[in-house]
Amino acid sequence: MANNTESLYQKYISVFQKIADIKYASAVLQWDQETYLPKKGNDFRGRQIATLNETAHELFTDEKTGALLLELSGKNDLSDIQKRNIELSTEDYNRNIKFTSSFVRKMSEAINTSFHAWIAARKANDFKVFEKPLAAVIAIKREEASIIGYTGHPYDALMNDYDKGLTVTTVDALFANLRPALTQILDDISHKKQVNDDFLQQHFNKDAQWKYGMELLKKLHFDLEAGRQDISEHPFTTSFNSKDVRLTTRIDENDFSNMTWSCIHECGHGLYEQGLPAEQYGLPLGEFCSLSIHESQSRLWENNIGRSLPFWKKEYPNLQRAFPQLDKIDTMDFYKSINKVQPSLIRTEADELTYHFHVMIRYELEKKLIEGSLMAADIPAYWNEQYKNYLGVTVPDDKRGCLQDVHWSHGSFGYFATYSIGSLYASQLMLTMQKEKQISDEFNSGGTGLIFSWLQQQIYPYGRYYHSDALCKHATGEPLNAEYFIKYAKDKFSEIYVS
Amino acid sequence: MANNTESLYQKYISVFQKIADIKYASAVLQWDQETYLPKKGNDFRGRQIATLNETAHELFTDEKTGALLLELSGKNDLSDIQKRNIELSTEDYNRNIKFTSSFVRKMSEAINTSFHAWIAARKANDFKVFEKPLAAVIAIKREEASIIGYTGHPYDALMNDYDKGLTVTTVDALFANLRPALTQILDDISHKKQVNDDFLQQHFNKDAQWKYGMELLKKLHFDLEAGRQDISEHPFTTSFNSKDVRLTTRIDENDFSNMTWSCIHECGHGLYEQGLPAEQYGLPLGEFCSLSIHESQSRLWENNIGRSLPFWKKEYPNLQRAFPQLDKIDTMDFYKSINKVQPSLIRTEADELTYHFHVMIRYELEKKLIEGSLMAADIPAYWNEQYKNYLGVTVPDDKRGCLQDVHWSHGSFGYFATYSIGSLYASQLMLTMQKEKQISDEFNSGGTGLIFSWLQQQIYPYGRYYHSDALCKHATGEPLNAEYFIKYAKDKFSEIYVS
């Protein structure tokens, strides 16, 4: 590489790492806000986060940054990796310069307000407390969509933030395929004897749950010297670099499942973040591919592994040691209980099948909010109606209805579809891995070491090098194919629901 | 006020609050580093903090900031408060423009390295692990002193950071007066019967200590909705605004005193930070006066209140409820035990009298390091020799010797004298308050509400409006006068050591 290119590329690294430092500092402040911030600190914290976001944005959209990227784009003596970084940073730059600093600040402050309103609304169990701050966020997101621009649906512009190239056309088609397939499986199940899960709703001591969750994280390869777990209102994963990945969980003393599978879910996210290449810190190739791939990682560990029979055959005795109240429940009954299929109110607690209906409801709802055909005030009624339509359940109150997810309060519109898509990717990855005898043998005896190694080789190190579908093709030989998930679901649930 | 002045002043507020946002964000990252940061996250955290410090510095030292301050300095239609803000910001600006951004970054990175080396050195109980990173910090602090400039001693330049106007000449004179007075009191005590404190070195359960510490904070008026307490290696207080003040403590299960009085000490700092005017966020009048005044607040609560007989007459039954192992110890014996005077190794655990010798040793040592007459490598030998001279004790190892304080690892050179000066201020404030009958009556029956109110009126709201001595004069009618402390000490200890 010519000296000039080398020094230009070094300059690029230095600028982008500086921007990353500020963005990740903002992430630390947000993490703290959801875990440890004293109540009265909200307002100043909001402006501190807004200033950091604005500062990072200013630095990123500086004309000098653009000129540097342009100059590097013309260089032929960059490595493949370097070229891809410049290409992606240029894409990001072109997207970011569309936003003024004041727009970024406005967004950041509106989100801060809406997050606290969401917390308050949940406490009051009243959507009205959240309505106005949410309406403000929706207005800004609509503005964002029109600033970004789109050819099809305005919602495409927002989904792009979570999975580049994802469109309403694609997702509509995917869901149109998935919904009848799921309905068919659910219909089959409905003729079988329902499984019993009463014993999961006993009292499970809080400290014992926390301790068990921490043990699970260790067993599932999460590096606690490069990350930690804390408690928050809504479980999430955030990362300040691959050596400092933070998970959160929540504990319900009357429902052991809540903590356990949210812990495994976030662990899946955390493993991906810890596996990203540290030497690419601050550059696109040090960042995750897409939210769909991120969710494929969380759903893979949560469901394909964490609700599998082989895993619990090995792990169940440990669980019983931690919670002797399960002593009289055998492994098979436990396994069935954690896979009980039943339409329900809360997405994060839903079974693997009806889960997708929760996602479809949100997806349809968000599309309407962003295209402007539904107002914030109409959310509860629409929500409750859709839960009736899709799941046949009656929503008793806002907390168990349209106030259950943190996403909107964070300004995350366009996110939800990635949960379903992630689940589809997860099954495709898992069934591909299981074609390798060693992996399959280990997994069948409850081990996950080789699965982790495979992901460490096939998924984590690539960062944003590939888009979702290309990464999927690279790892499995073909792009996203929902048939893998449908096969997985049919096989699994026909064994659980037998008579 | 003319419209032009008003809008210029608003611009000043907006610039300085933005700088404050970034500085306080850096403080959040530092707080996290000492409380929750996973081990492997150190390196990236170091560069993130360095970037924030550099960014705040660049914003502050921007020529536009200077021009704005200059323009506002010429305005006659500012209020007194506004004028004082501009005056102090101008002082800060003139000090800060002496430093290049790369110097600020170099300092920040050296401090990050030395902090982690200090932690490692304490673990290894070996000063050598800390020596080189410390030497690097000292070199930078010497450079800093020469960049700032000084007329007397280079150490003056550094002490100025903690208490504007403080000089080696002043402190030398103060200590030359204090040392013989203390020696006299100690000599008197040495002829009396030593008090017994064996019962303090029992086993005190960690969780019970934590719980008791939290109760103390509430009783001592710390607002836990505008702050919190966590655990760290070395107790400290930090603040991100007056609505978010963070204290830390540490717990030794075999020494109940360690947690209790560090908790009260940090609480005193915390009350001051919570009492600063929130509406002056980011401006000098929203900042504390000086470290000497800050320490006067911590030492006042720790010693003048927290080691007083009236306080414990009221509080002791609560303590006994928390720790039944103290059931057989009566209040007077407990009171004496927590005021036992005995030369010792650890500053933060020292009694109120010999404490000042710990400070004098560090003060003399730092002067030598900064003037270049002592090298980092020579610290342990010098330290141990001075502990022999001043306190007559033999230092058994580095952990109980020159590795005990976090300050140097943070680059805080010039800080220690403020602990002694703070103690002197504390006694002067306390004896002044006690002249008011209501305050005195309440305090004599173990209450602290009126003391807190007095501080809320006389100290907290002024921010940096006055320098230390002027604030002292404003609150007590005269500048610093060590005789208050000497009288307090004589009276108190002649009652504790009677025969």
Side-chain angles (χ1 to χ4, degrees):
Chain A
M1 196 193 294
N3 275 344
N4 176 33
T5 305
E6 176 62 32
S7 83
L8 271 180
Y9 193 78
Q10 285 307 320
K11 197 175 166 195
Y12 157 74
I13 290 177
S14 146
V15 171
F16 276 75
Q17 288 192 334
K18 192 172 168 181
I19 295 166
D21 289 339
I22 298 171
K23 285 198 309 196
Y24 288 126
S26 172
V28 174
L29 268 64
Q30 289 170 65
W31 167 85
D32 179 77
Q33 183 175 42
E34 299 197 31
T35 50
Y36 295 117
L37 186 72
K39 195 176 151 189
K40 294 180 185 168
N42 283 337
D43 291 344
F44 284 111
R45 177 54 55 87
R47 61 160 294 144
Q48 289 165 349
I49 291 171
T51 291
L52 292 182
N53 293 349
E54 192 184 42
T55 305
H57 182 75
E58 277 167 9
L59 215 54
F60 192 8
T61 56
D62 191 310
E63 282 175 16
K64 278 184 251 164
T65 309
L68 179 63
L69 289 170
L70 191 64
E71 196 176 352
L72 276 161
S73 301
K75 298 290 175 189
N76 294 317
D77 49 349
L78 290 167
S79 73
D80 256 17
I81 295 281
Q82 291 173 329
K83 267 188 199 145
R84 187 67 180 133
N85 269 330
I86 298 303
E87 200 174 275
L88 290 163
S89 289
T90 304
E91 274 181 26
D92 296 344
Y93 176 79
N94 290 333
R95 187 187 172 288
N96 272 276
I97 52 170
K98 294 178 177 170
F99 301 106
T100 62
S101 289
S102 67
F103 181 82
V104 171
R105 183 167 202 106
K106 185 172 75 173
M107 168 90 81
S108 180
E109 288 178 340
I111 285 170
N112 189 58
T113 305
S114 82
F115 174 67
H116 295 297
W118 175 71
I119 298 272
R122 275 175 64 86
K123 238 172 222 153
N125 199 357
D126 184 0
F127 177 79
K128 283 208 175 61
V129 175
F130 184 41
E131 184 194 318
K132 275 192 185 149
L134 175 61
V137 170
I138 294 168
I140 295 174
K141 297 307 285 190
R142 282 165 51 82
E143 195 182 342
E144 183 184 333
S146 85
I147 292 170
I148 297 172
Y150 48 87
T151 47
H153 193 283
Y155 193 53
D156 291 352
L158 301 184
M159 284 201 298
N160 251 273
D161 252 12
Y162 302 102
D163 194 351
K164 208 168 271 183
L166 200 63
T167 63
V168 162
T169 312
T170 319
V171 180
D172 282 350
L174 204 61
F175 285 172
N177 175 22
L178 192 58
R179 194 175 175 185
L182 285 170
T183 306
Q184 179 60 54
I185 304 175
L186 289 166
D187 189 55
D188 290 348
I189 288 175
S190 71
H191 298 101
K192 304 289 164 63
K193 197 184 145 206
Q194 182 54 295
V195 307
N196 174 34
D197 68 345
D198 290 353
F199 48 84
L200 293 181
Q201 269 84 46
Q202 301 176 63
H203 183 267
F204 292 87
N205 175 270
K206 204 169 174 171
D207 293 341
Q209 283 200 49
W210 172 261
K211 208 176 139 200
Y212 183 68
M214 291 299 286
E215 275 174 32
L216 268 184
L217 291 183
K218 274 180 237 169
K219 274 178 202 157
L220 298 178
H221 320 289
F222 186 72
D223 181 353
L224 282 159
E225 292 196 343
R228 47 180 293 121
Q229 182 175 250
D230 297 271
I231 297 285
S232 69
E233 177 83 13
H234 190 99
F236 67 95
T237 298
T238 185
S239 165
F240 316 135
N241 58 72
S242 61
K243 307 292 180 197
D244 187 1
V245 177
R246 311 268 175 121
L247 318 179
T248 70
T249 192
R250 63 178 164 207
I251 295 173
D252 177 346
E253 291 211 293
N254 299 313
D255 180 5
F256 155 81
S257 318
N258 203 324
M259 184 287 298
T260 306
W261 283 275
S262 90
C263 184
I264 304 178
H265 178 97
E266 300 307 330
C267 180
H269 283 304
L271 295 178
Y272 186 15
E273 289 289 339
Q274 288 186 336
L276 290 168
E279 72 280 6
Q280 295 284 333
Y281 172 79
L283 312 181
L285 296 198
E287 294 170 347
F288 61 87
C289 167
S290 70
L291 253 305
S292 298
I293 294 298
H294 229 311
E295 291 303 335
S296 79
Q297 297 308 298
S298 52
R299 305 283 294 167
L300 185 150
W301 289 93
E302 179 191 353
N303 292 328
N304 303 71
I305 295 171
R307 293 186 207 269
S308 72
L309 186 55
F311 179 76
W312 285 106
K313 269 196 177 153
K314 188 175 175 195
E315 178 58 24
Y316 194 54
N318 298 322
L319 181 70
Q320 286 179 315
R321 261 191 296 279
F323 301 105
Q325 56 265 58
L326 295 174
D327 270 359
K328 288 186 184 151
I329 312 301
D330 75 20
T331 311
M332 201 61 197
D333 285 341
F334 175 77
Y335 167 66
K336 287 188 175 189
S337 77
I338 64 172
N339 284 293
K340 182 182 179 181
V341 175
Q342 187 165 50
S344 64
L345 293 164
I346 308 292
R347 176 184 58 83
T348 58
E349 297 165 17
D351 61 78
E352 274 183 87
L353 303 178
T354 60
Y355 183 86
H356 297 282
F357 294 154
H358 294 261
V359 170
M360 290 172 194
I361 292 169
R362 288 156 178 78
Y363 166 76
E364 294 295 338
L365 197 160
E366 287 190 2
K367 267 202 303 188
K368 286 181 190 295
L369 290 172
I370 298 304
E371 73 192 17
S373 65
L374 190 80
M375 297 294 109
D378 304 326
I379 290 175
Y382 179 86
W383 181 284
N384 298 352
E385 189 193 320
Q386 292 292 84
Y387 265 75
K388 202 84 201 157
N389 291 345
Y390 272 86
L391 288 147
V393 296
T394 303
V395 176
D397 54 22
D398 294 341
K399 203 173 166 182
R400 283 172 285 182
C402 59
L403 282 178
Q404 68 184 266
D405 298 301
V406 71
H407 303 62
W408 299 337
S409 80
H410 280 171
S412 301
F413 286 82
Y415 190 126
F416 283 112
T418 70
Y419 286 117
S420 281
I421 298 170
S423 297
L424 307 186
Y425 278 132
S427 290
Q428 188 164 344
L429 291 171
M430 196 67 187
L431 289 170
T432 302
M433 273 184 250
Q434 287 174 296
K435 286 177 195 158
E436 292 187 28
K437 190 176 176 314
Q438 271 193 307
I439 298 182
S440 175
D441 286 351
E442 192 205 41
F443 177 62
N444 287 335
S445 54
T448 59
L450 292 174
I451 292 175
F452 181 52
S453 300
W454 191 90
L455 295 168
Q456 280 183 309
Q457 285 159 37
Q458 301 297 330
I459 303 292
Y460 307 163
Y462 288 97
R464 288 171 63 191
Y465 189 86
Y466 296 116
H467 287 176
S468 308
D469 246 9
L471 181 60
C472 178
K473 197 170 172 193
H474 164 86
T476 71
E478 58 178 312
L480 182 61
N481 180 349
E483 295 309 318
Y484 284 98
F485 171 76
I486 295 167
K487 176 182 162 33
Y488 157 79
K490 273 188 186 157
D491 289 352
K492 177 172 179 174
F493 289 96
S494 66
E495 277 182 27
I496 291 170
Y497 285 89
V498 276
S499 58
Chain B
M1 196 192 297
N3 275 345
N4 175 32
T5 304
E6 177 62 32
S7 83
L8 271 182
Y9 193 79
Q10 285 307 320
K11 196 172 167 198
Y12 157 74
I13 291 177
S14 145
V15 170
F16 276 75
Q17 288 191 336
K18 192 171 169 182
I19 296 166
D21 289 339
I22 298 171
K23 284 199 308 196
Y24 289 125
S26 170
V28 174
L29 268 63
Q30 288 169 64
W31 168 85
D32 179 76
Q33 182 175 44
E34 300 198 29
T35 50
Y36 295 117
L37 184 72
K39 196 176 151 189
K40 293 181 185 167
N42 283 336
D43 292 342
F44 284 112
R45 176 54 53 88
R47 61 160 295 144
Q48 289 165 349
I49 291 172
T51 290
L52 293 181
N53 293 349
E54 191 185 43
T55 304
H57 182 75
E58 277 167 7
L59 216 54
F60 192 7
T61 56
D62 191 310
E63 280 175 17
K64 280 185 250 164
T65 309
L68 179 65
L69 289 169
L70 191 64
E71 197 175 354
L72 275 160
S73 302
K75 299 288 176 192
N76 295 318
D77 50 350
L78 290 168
S79 72
D80 257 16
I81 296 280
Q82 292 173 328
K83 268 189 199 143
R84 188 66 181 134
N85 268 332
I86 299 301
E87 199 173 276
L88 289 163
S89 289
T90 305
E91 273 180 27
D92 295 344
Y93 176 78
N94 289 333
R95 187 187 170 289
N96 271 277
I97 51 170
K98 294 178 178 170
F99 300 106
T100 62
S101 290
S102 68
F103 181 81
V104 171
R105 184 167 201 107
K106 185 173 75 174
M107 168 91 81
S108 179
E109 289 179 338
I111 284 169
N112 189 58
T113 305
S114 82
F115 174 68
H116 295 297
W118 175 72
I119 299 272
R122 276 175 63 86
K123 236 170 223 154
N125 198 358
D126 184 359
F127 177 79
K128 282 208 175 63
V129 176
F130 185 39
E131 185 193 316
K132 276 193 183 146
L134 176 60
V137 170
I138 294 168
I140 295 174
K141 297 308 283 190
R142 282 166 51 85
E143 195 181 342
E144 182 185 336
S146 85
I147 292 170
I148 297 171
Y150 49 86
T151 47
H153 193 282
Y155 193 52
D156 291 352
L158 301 185
M159 283 202 297
N160 251 274
D161 251 12
Y162 303 102
D163 194 352
K164 209 169 269 182
L166 200 64
T167 62
V168 161
T169 312
T170 320
V171 181
D172 281 351
L174 203 63
F175 285 173
N177 175 20
L178 191 59
R179 193 176 175 183
L182 284 171
T183 306
Q184 178 62 54
I185 305 175
L186 288 167
D187 189 52
D188 289 348
I189 288 175
S190 73
H191 298 101
K192 304 289 163 63
K193 198 184 143 205
Q194 182 54 293
V195 308
N196 174 33
D197 68 346
D198 290 352
F199 48 84
L200 294 181
Q201 270 83 49
Q202 299 175 66
H203 183 267
F204 292 87
N205 174 271
K206 204 168 174 172
D207 293 340
Q209 283 200 50
W210 173 260
K211 207 175 141 200
Y212 183 68
M214 291 300 287
E215 277 174 29
L216 268 182
L217 290 183
K218 275 180 236 168
K219 274 179 201 158
L220 298 177
H221 320 287
F222 186 74
D223 181 353
L224 282 160
E225 290 194 344
R228 48 179 291 119
Q229 182 176 250
D230 297 271
I231 297 284
S232 70
E233 176 85 10
H234 190 98
F236 67 94
T237 297
T238 185
S239 165
F240 317 136
N241 59 73
S242 62
K243 308 291 180 198
D244 188 1
V245 177
R246 312 267 175 123
L247 318 179
T248 70
T249 191
R250 64 178 163 205
I251 295 173
D252 177 345
E253 291 212 291
N254 299 312
D255 180 4
F256 155 81
S257 319
N258 203 323
M259 184 283 299
T260 307
W261 283 275
S262 90
C263 183
I264 304 177
H265 177 98
E266 301 306 330
C267 180
H269 283 305
L271 295 177
Y272 186 17
E273 289 289 338
Q274 289 185 336
L276 290 169
E279 73 280 6
Q280 295 284 334
Y281 172 79
L283 312 182
L285 297 197
E287 295 172 344
F288 61 89
C289 167
S290 69
L291 254 303
S292 297
I293 294 298
H294 229 311
E295 291 302 334
S296 80
Q297 298 309 299
S298 53
R299 304 284 292 170
L300 186 149
W301 289 94
E302 178 191 354
N303 292 327
N304 302 73
I305 295 171
R307 292 187 208 268
S308 73
L309 186 56
F311 179 78
W312 285 106
K313 268 193 178 155
K314 187 172 176 198
E315 177 58 23
Y316 193 55
N318 298 323
L319 181 70
Q320 285 179 316
R321 262 192 293 280
F323 300 104
Q325 56 265 57
L326 294 174
D327 270 358
K328 290 187 182 151
I329 311 300
D330 76 19
T331 311
M332 200 59 196
D333 285 340
F334 175 76
Y335 168 64
K336 288 190 174 187
S337 77
I338 64 172
N339 284 293
K340 181 182 178 181
V341 175
Q342 189 167 48
S344 63
L345 293 164
I346 308 291
R347 177 183 59 83
T348 57
E349 296 165 19
D351 61 80
E352 277 185 85
L353 303 178
T354 60
Y355 183 86
H356 296 281
F357 295 154
H358 293 261
V359 171
M360 290 173 195
I361 292 168
R362 286 155 178 77
Y363 167 75
E364 294 295 338
L365 196 159
E366 286 190 1
K367 269 203 302 189
K368 285 181 193 295
L369 290 172
I370 298 304
E371 74 192 16
S373 66
L374 190 80
M375 298 294 110
D378 304 326
I379 290 175
Y382 179 86
W383 180 284
N384 298 352
E385 190 192 320
Q386 290 293 82
Y387 264 75
K388 200 82 200 163
N389 291 345
Y390 272 85
L391 288 147
V393 296
T394 303
V395 176
D397 52 23
D398 293 341
K399 202 173 168 183
R400 284 172 283 182
C402 58
L403 283 178
Q404 68 184 265
D405 298 301
V406 72
H407 303 61
W408 299 337
S409 80
H410 280 169
S412 302
F413 285 82
Y415 188 128
F416 284 111
T418 70
Y419 285 116
S420 281
I421 297 170
S423 297
L424 307 186
Y425 278 131
S427 290
Q428 188 165 343
L429 293 170
M430 195 69 188
L431 289 169
T432 302
M433 276 185 246
Q434 286 174 296
K435 285 177 195 158
E436 293 186 27
K437 191 176 175 316
Q438 272 193 305
I439 297 183
S440 175
D441 285 352
E442 193 204 40
F443 177 62
N444 287 335
S445 55
T448 59
L450 294 174
I451 292 176
F452 181 52
S453 299
W454 190 90
L455 295 169
Q456 280 183 309
Q457 284 159 39
Q458 301 298 328
I459 303 291
Y460 306 164
Y462 288 97
R464 286 172 61 191
Y465 189 85
Y466 296 117
H467 286 176
S468 309
D469 247 8
L471 181 61
C472 179
K473 198 172 170 188
H474 165 85
T476 71
E478 58 177 313
L480 181 62
N481 179 349
E483 295 310 316
Y484 285 98
F485 171 75
I486 294 167
K487 177 182 160 33
Y488 157 78
K490 271 187 187 157
D491 290 352
K492 176 171 180 175
F493 288 96
S494 66
E495 278 182 27
I496 291 170
Y497 284 88
V498 276
S499 60

